[in-house]
Amino acid sequence: MMTDKFHTELKDLKKAVSGMARYAFSMLQDSQEAFINQDAALAATVLTRKDQLREKTVALEENCYQLIALNQPVAKDMRLIVCSLKVIAASERVGRYGKSTAKIVKEISGRPHIANMMSIPLMSEYVLAMIDDAITAYETESIKKLDGFSARDDAIDALRHSIFREAITYMMENPKTITQATYYIIIARYLERCADHACKMAENVQYMETGERIEIK
């Protein structure tokens, strides 16, 4: 039956989107590990993944559009496809921030860290956990993992502001730290944006499951 075929295709789509999201997640995760450990070689591997990330994004978007055009889905099926499109878009951004972080790592890998990296490892841990929970919620179609997302996002915002203030202080006290501290500010900003994308995923998973639109802020 056409309906059975369609629902099989939906399951395949969901599995593929999950794989793409995990691929993007790995780019950010590896870029953060490369930053913390000053591992230029690991950063280089992240940069090699950007083309495949783009290919996955385009192919999955086309798949979603075809499923809509050929099957005219309604209700939960339509919400699943719409959510998938949102997860694809957010995941691509996460992967691209991983790529951008990897570029920075190649620039500063030969310089010793300052101020124990200004809480960036902690911020990275929080952000990666949020993204992982958002993807898991999409995979399992369960919104339990999304509880407390707003408070978690607030904590990440506070860390970003703290890193910014600390970096400015180091720049003023020692001009030799300006380049390094500026890159720390940029990486913290990338992490904050990735947390925002995790929140967008969470909002869309909530809509997919309940039909209710929420805003995490």
Side-chain angles (χ1 to χ4, degrees), residues 52-213:
Q52 190 169 0
L53 177 69
R54 180 60 182 161
E55 290 170 5
K56 289 175 182 289
T57 299
V58 172
L60 286 170
E61 286 177 346
E62 288 297 322
N63 192 356
C64 289
Y65 299 147
Q66 288 179 7
L67 287 173
I68 293 172
L70 296 176
N71 299 279
Q72 299 181 343
V74 296
K76 175 71 181 292
D77 292 340
M78 184 62 176
R79 295 201 304 271
L80 190 155
I81 296 174
V82 170
C83 180
S84 296
L85 281 166
K86 300 291 187 178
V87 169
I88 292 164
S91 297
E92 183 189 26
R93 293 309 307 163
V94 166
R96 288 178 66 85
Y97 281 123
K99 179 203 73 173
S100 296
T101 301
K103 284 185 175 180
I104 290 176
V105 172
K106 293 189 73 176
E107 290 290 327
I108 65 175
S109 62
R111 305 174 189 176
H113 283 303
I114 56 175
N116 198 29
M117 293 170 277
M118 301 181 188
S119 299
I120 289 178
L122 178 63
M123 187 179 183
S124 173
E125 181 182 336
Y126 287 174
V127 171
L128 289 168
M130 280 186 75
I131 298 169
D132 183 47
D133 284 346
I135 297 172
T136 299
Y138 170 77
E139 292 169 338
T140 61
E141 299 187 14
S142 170
I143 60 176
K144 290 181 180 179
K145 288 275 190 182
L146 308 181
D147 290 344
F149 250 51
S150 183
R152 293 166 74 180
D153 189 51
D154 288 343
I156 288 165
D157 289 343
L159 274 171
R160 202 269 291 182
H161 289 302
S162 174
I163 291 165
F164 177 81
R165 290 192 297 270
E166 187 175 357
I168 293 297
T169 299
Y170 272 91
M171 290 180 192
M172 293 173 65
E173 291 177 351
N174 182 2
K176 291 182 179 179
T177 66
I178 288 176
T179 298
Q180 194 91 336
T182 299
Y183 279 132
Y184 285 9
I185 291 172
I186 293 170
I187 290 174
R189 176 59 175 161
Y190 290 163
L191 286 169
E192 182 193 34
R193 292 299 298 135
C194 286
D196 290 342
H197 288 301
C199 289
K200 288 301 178 186
M201 288 189 210
E203 290 172 0
N204 282 283
V205 171
Q206 174 83 24
Y207 177 64
M208 177 181 74
E209 283 304 298
T210 67
E212 175 191 4
R213 293 191 182 275

Side-chain angles (χ1 to χ4, degrees), residues 2-14:
M2 178 63 73
T3 302
D4 292 339
K5 179 176 181 292
F6 173 54
H7 285 115
T8 297
E9 290 172 340
L10 280 182
K11 289 180 181 178
D12 291 342
L13 170 69
K14 200 154 166 291

